[in-house]
Amino acid sequence: MSVRNIGILAHIDAGKTTLTERILFYTGVSWRLGEVDDGTAVMDWMEQEQERGITITSAATRVQWRDHVVNIIDTPGHVDFTVEVERSLRVLDGAVVVFSGVEGVQPQSETVWRQADRHRVPRLAFINKMDRVGAEFDRSVEDVRARLGANIWAFQIPIGEGEDFVGVVDLLSRQAVTHGGDDLGVRLDRGPVPDELVDEVEMQRELLIDALCESDDELLELYLEEGEPDVGALQAAARRAVVGGRMVPALCGSAFRNRGVQLLLDAVIDYLPAPTDRPALSDGRPASAEAPFAALVFKLQADPPHGVLAFLRVYSGAIDAGTTVMNARTGQKVRLGRVYQMNAMDREPITRLVAGDIVAAIGIGAGTGDTLCDPAHPIVLETIEFPEPVLHAAVEPETDEDQQRLSAALARLRAEDPSLVVRTDPDTGQTILCGMGELHLEIARARLEREFSVQARFGRPQVAYRETVTDAFRLEHVHDRVVGGRGQYARIDLVLEPHDSPGFEPGETELPADLVRAVRQGVEARLARGLRAGFPIAGVRVRLLGASHHPVDSSEHAFRIAAHAAVGRILEETGSQVLEPLMRAEVSVPEEFVGSVVGDLSSRRARVEAIDVRAGRHRIVALVPLGGMFGYATRLRSLTQGRGMYAMDLARYEVMPRAVADREFGTA
């Protein structure tokens, strides 16, 4: 039985969880249609998800369709939880990206598309909500092509749009598919193309075949020799193009109205890659059951009272549950005792793991990004990178009794969600929780109270500013002291410079390795403090050009102090510039509110990039500093009588205007 490992990706409220719920229903996993709005969605199993009607954590499930196993990961659509998308894409072979047929490409749509590009994940586009007023399939496809640079082509066209949407025409087979009035969408009626669409179908089909020939030499050769190929040859060429990342098929439907979902499942089987279609691992081993075992831990999830669930993607090999494997990071051997096939939070014990599986194991003591492998054939798989947080808030226990529980709870949250960062403020001793946005921190606070019974006080969220320097500076620093009757000597020669690949470069010196390590520690500790208000220094490289030590009076402590002091002196000489997170915001409002909304954005130092009209509403695209967007949802409701909507995601860090930085943080 062949396997597909896919993710469902989208901007928030594009309908991806509703789509996943329909897939569960049509494949027989669920006996009823789960709904996000009434809290009955199987995949939104967390209490917070059911209350808020949004996906917060990715959930895995397994279905069967046309004698194929399809492992599905439903991912969040909110920008604060983009780390869930990142680690899911790391282990998936293909993806379905869901777009609203009304709004088209939205901020998080673009973010997840770029993430899929980075991981080279082949994908399908599903234009959803075709039953909504203002939905336009052609415009949505062109929006994806223009804004995301995708080689996207319609494989279907809708039969009607908005309230008139009743089905689709498959272009390759020239077959119309409707649902015949069946409200649950189970029965599909197939027939000829409606007369009014014949010309449109033939034109679109010719464009699609031309695009397939352009992307597939085998099909082009067949076309030139024998004329138009049959449907099977066209589908085979389309599969090669999709698996090779050269084409994105566009399909359409309405998940809420139960239309187009089965055809999307067919396309997943027909066009998206199997695990064996993906490149071999770093050591050349193929993704087959016959190769040595290798799996990646891509997610941890608390599972009281049993412990911690570790989600695994098996890349190669086949082993029985209970087999001992090696954690390549630690070198320790662990036993895969209890292994489960997951359906959201429901589970089914399994006795064997095979290449291509996505499963969960309990009690293996591994961390996110760890590789589990055959001890006789070790391998380290590419790990998962997580973005830097952009907001932080101080958190304090209500009572002394809560202190220990708070520390343990934060450690559990951090293990589950590596985009949450916990640190201690060196000046105040406060615990600082750092996250990807206001909602991210709010969810963490709610989980502390509900799941871990920790009562804590949270400070007002603060923006995670950074600092940088614009000029290189070289300095030789000597630390030569007598402390407690013993000498402390260290001499180092450093250069600090702006660089696209930041970090510490040890260079060529005669220092012993332990002293070089101490220099690195001193440099990193001082860069973490910055020059203004404790913001860390980013975008710089520190090179150790030279150093000398004394056989008796030199120590790791002396070199740490020397490095710390040297970097501090350089920063005082060069000064620094504050970097602020710049958000890409899209605001959708009726025409009569455009002026007041643009004026309000300008007061927040926003730079409006575009204003266009879609589905009768004006879309304002702007770049705006995150620090100016606190409380914006309330302000937008006030300005638009509750009719405005907005979304934003991180665009980049940018230098804050000096006058603003001096006013906010003092001169440097």
Side-chain angles (χ1 to χ4, degrees):
M1 184 175 288
S2 188
V3 175
R4 300 289 184 271
N5 291 316
I6 67 167
I8 311 293
L9 318 175
H11 181 89
I12 190 171
D13 201 34
K16 60 181 174 39
T17 298
T18 301
L19 174 63
T20 308
E21 293 296 319
R22 293 329 187 244
I23 291 174
L24 295 179
F25 177 73
Y26 294 130
T27 56
V29 172
S30 178
W31 58 270
R32 60 175 174 79
L33 293 173
E35 300 292 353
V36 174
D37 292 340
D38 61 18
T40 60
V42 173
M43 302 301 281
D44 285 347
W45 57 270
M46 287 181 63
E47 183 180 0
Q48 290 285 315
E49 294 177 315
Q50 294 169 356
E51 289 181 359
R52 298 171 184 267
I54 62 172
T55 301
I56 294 170
T57 184
S58 56
T61 191
R62 182 184 181 96
V63 302
Q64 291 190 20
W65 188 255
R66 283 175 38 189
D67 295 326
H68 287 67
V69 167
V70 184
N71 291 311
I72 301 173
I73 297 181
D74 177 36
T75 65
H78 196 287
V79 62
D80 284 16
F81 309 105
T82 190
V83 66
E84 294 285 339
V85 181
E86 186 71 23
R87 59 181 169 190
S88 297
L89 283 170
R90 169 62 184 83
V91 300
L92 294 170
D93 302 317
V96 174
V97 186
V98 183
F99 298 91
S100 166
V102 179
E103 287 84 11
V105 177
Q106 297 171 277
Q108 189 66 359
S109 311
E110 187 166 352
T111 300
V112 299
W113 193 272
R114 303 301 181 206
Q115 289 174 291
D117 280 344
R118 186 165 61 251
H119 290 280
R120 298 180 181 178
V121 175
R123 70 215 75 155
L124 307 174
F126 183 70
I127 311 301
N128 194 25
K129 301 188 177 182
M130 289 303 302
D131 61 311
R132 297 273 294 273
V133 174
E136 292 185 33
F137 179 69
D138 291 343
R139 184 188 61 189
S140 298
V141 171
E142 184 54 40
D143 201 20
V144 174
R145 181 179 290 120
R147 295 183 59 185
L148 304 181
N151 186 32
I152 183 171
W153 292 92
F155 275 54
Q156 299 172 347
I157 64 170
I159 303 175
E161 291 181 331
E163 295 180 354
D164 298 327
F165 176 66
V166 295
V168 304
V169 174
D170 180 84
L171 292 178
L172 293 185
S173 66
R174 293 188 178 100
Q175 190 174 65
V177 183
T178 60
H179 292 276
D182 181 359
D183 289 339
L184 294 181
V186 175
R187 195 188 84 207
L188 300 182
D189 293 337
R190 302 176 186 268
V193 177
D195 293 341
E196 67 274 15
L197 290 178
V198 169
D199 291 343
E200 175 72 11
V201 167
E202 291 307 311
M203 182 189 71
Q204 294 286 356
R205 189 174 189 273
E206 185 176 343
L207 291 173
L208 175 56
I209 292 175
D210 287 346
L212 286 171
C213 288
E214 187 174 333
S215 66
D216 189 81
D217 292 340
E218 184 177 334
L219 181 69
L220 177 60
E221 183 177 346
L222 182 64
Y223 189 89
L224 294 175
E225 290 180 355
E226 302 180 8
E228 182 178 305
D230 60 23
V231 173
L234 292 172
Q235 289 181 330
R239 176 178 175 77
R240 291 192 294 269
V242 174
V243 171
R246 302 187 299 275
M247 177 176 284
V248 178
L251 301 94
C252 60
S254 168
F256 184 69
R257 299 296 180 191
N258 314 315
R259 295 169 186 167
V261 179
Q262 297 99 318
L263 299 182
L264 174 63
L265 279 168
D266 287 338
V268 166
I269 303 303
D270 291 336
Y271 303 127
L272 289 182
T276 51
D277 294 321
R278 302 294 281 155
L281 302 184
S282 57
D283 65 349
R285 74 179 69 179
S288 70
E290 290 72 32
F293 179 79
L296 182 73
V297 179
F298 68 93
K299 176 182 172 69
L300 299 182
Q301 184 172 290
D303 183 39
H306 305 100
V308 177
L309 279 170
F311 284 78
L312 315 175
R313 161 66 196 267
V314 181
Y315 280 93
S316 64
I319 62 172
D320 293 326
T323 301
T324 297
V325 298
M326 183 178 74
N327 185 324
R329 177 179 62 86
T330 64
Q332 295 180 338
K333 293 183 178 180
V334 296
R335 181 175 176 270
L336 291 175
R338 292 178 289 171
V339 185
Y340 302 97
Q341 182 63 60
M342 301 298 295
N343 178 28
M345 276 306 286
D346 294 332
R347 69 196 67 187
E348 177 185 347
I350 59 174
T351 58
R352 190 163 176 79
L353 294 75
V354 181
D357 281 349
I358 293 179
V359 299
I362 288 182
I364 61 173
T368 300
D370 284 358
T371 299
L372 303 180
C373 59
D374 182 343
H377 299 86
I379 184 176
V380 177
L381 300 175
E382 181 183 351
T383 189
I384 306 169
E385 295 183 1
F386 299 104
E388 292 290 329
V390 296
L391 282 184
H392 63 264
V395 53
E396 297 178 343
E398 290 281 4
T399 66
D400 291 340
E401 295 177 354
D402 284 316
Q403 178 62 61
Q404 188 171 358
R405 290 206 303 271
L406 175 63
S407 299
L410 288 175
R412 289 276 295 274
L413 289 179
R414 176 77 178 90
E416 288 187 38
D417 183 358
S419 64
L420 279 173
V421 175
V422 181
R423 61 179 176 84
T424 302
D425 188 302
D427 296 323
T428 66
Q430 287 181 306
T431 298
I432 307 296
L433 183 62
C434 311
M436 301 305 299
E438 289 183 274
L439 181 60
H440 196 197
L441 294 179
E442 186 180 332
I443 295 295
R445 177 178 185 170
R447 293 191 64 192
L448 284 174
E449 294 176 353
R450 296 186 182 188
E451 296 180 29
F452 300 99
S453 301
V454 175
Q455 299 302 314
R457 298 186 297 271
F458 271 68
R460 182 179 181 273
Q462 304 291 322
V463 176
Y465 295 105
R466 300 174 189 170
E467 299 177 50
T468 193
V469 300
T470 56
D471 301 310
F473 195 91
R474 180 174 179 177
L475 178 74
E476 181 178 343
H477 180 78
V478 177
H479 175 75
D480 191 2
R481 303 278 179 85
V482 176
V483 180
R486 180 176 177 180
Q488 291 284 341
Y489 176 82
R491 184 192 71 83
I492 57 174
D493 184 4
L494 294 177
V495 62
L496 186 151
E497 58 192 353
H499 207 278
D500 293 334
S501 300
F504 174 75
E505 186 176 302
E508 298 291 336
T509 69
E510 296 181 358
L511 279 186
D514 58 337
L515 298 185
V516 173
R517 183 173 59 251
V519 173
R520 178 192 295 273
Q521 292 169 347
V523 166
E524 292 175 347
R526 187 61 188 86
L527 290 178
R529 296 293 305 279
L531 192 61
R532 303 184 187 218
F535 304 138
I537 301 293
V540 301
R541 181 177 65 175
V542 176
R543 289 187 290 141
L544 180 61
L545 301 180
S548 59
H549 67 292
H550 189 276
V552 176
D553 293 341
S554 291
S555 65
E556 292 183 41
H557 180 66
F559 273 88
R560 268 194 297 270
I561 292 176
H564 193 282
V567 172
R569 286 179 58 191
I570 291 175
L571 293 177
E572 290 172 0
E573 290 289 339
T574 62
S576 69
Q577 293 181 305
V578 176
L579 297 172
E580 60 183 349
L582 199 66
M583 312 302 289
R584 183 176 185 273
E586 288 194 7
V587 187
S588 174
V589 297
E591 181 178 6
E592 61 264 33
F593 303 115
V594 170
S596 57
V597 169
V598 169
D600 181 73
L601 285 171
S602 297
S603 72
R604 300 168 189 269
R605 293 194 288 121
R607 303 196 298 268
V608 176
E609 293 190 318
I611 302 177
D612 56 35
V613 181
R614 181 152 192 172
R617 293 173 66 91
H618 282 63
R619 183 177 66 104
I620 304 163
V621 181
L623 292 174
V624 56
L626 176 59
M629 295 301 283
F630 287 116
Y632 185 68
T634 301
R635 179 60 176 163
L636 183 63
R637 282 196 297 270
S638 174
L639 288 172
T640 64
Q641 300 174 11
R643 297 164 66 190
M645 300 180 295
Y646 87 103
M648 64 181 185
D649 62 348
L650 179 65
R652 60 182 179 272
Y653 269 80
E654 189 173 270
V655 173
M656 178 183 285
R658 183 170 292 277
V660 178
D662 290 346
R663 182 175 68 245
E664 295 289 335
F665 312 114
T667 58

